[in-house]
Amino acid sequence: DARVTQTPRDKVTEMGQEVTMRCQPILGHNTVFWYRQTMMQGLELLAYFRNRAPLDDSGMPKDRFSAEMPDATLATLKIQPSEPRDSAVYFCASGLDYQEETQYFGPGTRLLVL
Amino acid sequence: AQSVTQPDIHITVSEGASLELRCNYSYGATPYLFWYVQSPGQGLQLLLKYFSGDTLVQGIKGFEAEFKRSQSSFNLRKPSVHWSDAAEYFCAVVGTSYGKLTFGQGTILTVHP
């Protein structure tokens, strides 16, 4: 049963610290999405990769957030420095095609910045 | 830009009762529409999707949804709700040049025994 995996599942850190979240897309998928879920804003798209290339990161605060795909099996989302307002659940999703196929979501990383 | 509205923040139904969750979208052309379910502490699971063709689509877990272009709606239905259906449900639309999902705010479903 192929699934998107995310690590860590939970992260508590102090303001100013660097946070790295990792995602392993389903093997063979060529699109990766990062979403953030908060009570106030709901689910928001942060970044989109296709064939490891970032195609849209307009939803991501550029000054502190960065997203990369070092290889086809790993996507990372970093926050440096972290702030309390970054507290949220971060989801990774992967898919096979940007238009026709659905996105398969990982279980999320719950981040709390104190 | 596309948008999705789920008018009901919270719905409570009795087990065995029928269910309808409302979703309205805003998009100039025919959108791709989705319903996802999120159980507490879990990621989102796709229930069903509409791309084209038959406007009544069947999904997993006994759910169905009907696309009504005239009403810009894509309501989710289930004839008989089970306690395990208690979760949060999200309607979403893809309408841009790539698979950028725009989600509604979600509807929390509570099921009474």
Side-chain angles (χ1 to χ4, degrees):
Chain A
D1 183 23
R3 297 186 182 187
V4 175
T5 59
Q6 290 186 248
T7 57
R9 291 294 310 274
D10 289 280
K11 176 72 175 179
V12 180
T13 190
E14 293 187 346
M15 182 174 62
Q17 296 298 305
E18 178 178 299
V19 175
T20 299
M21 291 169 272
R22 293 176 175 81
C23 166
Q24 183 171 20
I26 292 174
L27 189 64
H29 281 188
N30 66 338
T31 62
V32 171
F33 300 80
W34 282 104
Y35 291 90
R36 177 171 61 183
Q37 184 178 36
T38 61
M39 289 293 292
M40 294 301 297
Q41 300 298 324
L43 279 155
E44 306 171 283
L45 178 70
L46 296 176
Y48 163 60
F49 288 77
R50 189 181 186 198
N51 295 322
R52 295 177 55 200
L55 295 190
D56 185 357
D57 60 1
S58 58
M60 200 163 62
K62 300 295 191 303
D63 55 338
R64 299 182 298 107
F65 284 62
S66 63
E68 296 179 343
M69 282 200 72
D71 60 61
T73 64
L74 177 64
T76 63
L77 180 66
K78 292 185 181 181
I79 308 174
Q80 169 62 19
S82 58
E83 297 180 1
R85 59 179 168 154
D86 301 328
S87 298
V89 182
Y90 292 82
F91 289 104
C92 173
S94 71
L96 275 172
D97 181 89
Y98 64 85
Q99 192 75 7
E100 292 286 331
E101 297 294 330
T102 59
Q103 296 170 28
Y104 297 86
F105 282 76
T109 293
R110 186 180 303 272
L111 173 65
L112 177 61
V113 183
L114 302 174
Chain B
Q2 67 267 27
S3 65
V4 178
T5 302
Q6 293 180 246
D8 304 305
I9 297 174
H10 195 173
I11 283 184
T12 299
V13 299
S14 298
E15 190 169 18
S18 63
L19 172 70
E20 182 170 30
L21 302 182
R22 295 184 291 165
C23 171
N24 293 97
Y25 69 89
S26 173
Y27 183 63
T30 300
Y32 293 170
L33 294 159
F34 304 79
W35 274 100
Y36 283 86
V37 60
Q38 183 180 27
S39 298
Q42 302 298 314
L44 281 75
Q45 181 183 21
L46 179 69
L47 285 175
L48 47 80
K49 59 187 176 183
Y50 172 77
F51 287 167
S52 64
D54 192 346
T55 57
L56 184 64
V57 293
Q58 303 296 321
I60 62 171
K61 304 185 179 185
F63 285 92
E64 67 177 25
E66 186 171 13
F67 170 62
K68 293 185 177 180
R69 184 190 303 276
S70 62
Q71 299 176 18
S72 297
S73 69
F74 188 58
N75 294 349
L76 181 71
R77 300 193 295 248
K78 187 169 184 178
S80 179
V81 171
H82 188 262
W83 63 266
S84 60
D85 294 325
E88 188 163 14
Y89 292 79
F90 292 91
C91 182
V93 62
V94 168
T96 58
S97 59
Y98 73 89
K100 179 178 180 179
L101 280 168
T102 298
F103 288 90
Q105 285 297 100
T107 298
I108 297 171
L109 174 66
T110 298
V111 181
H112 280 321

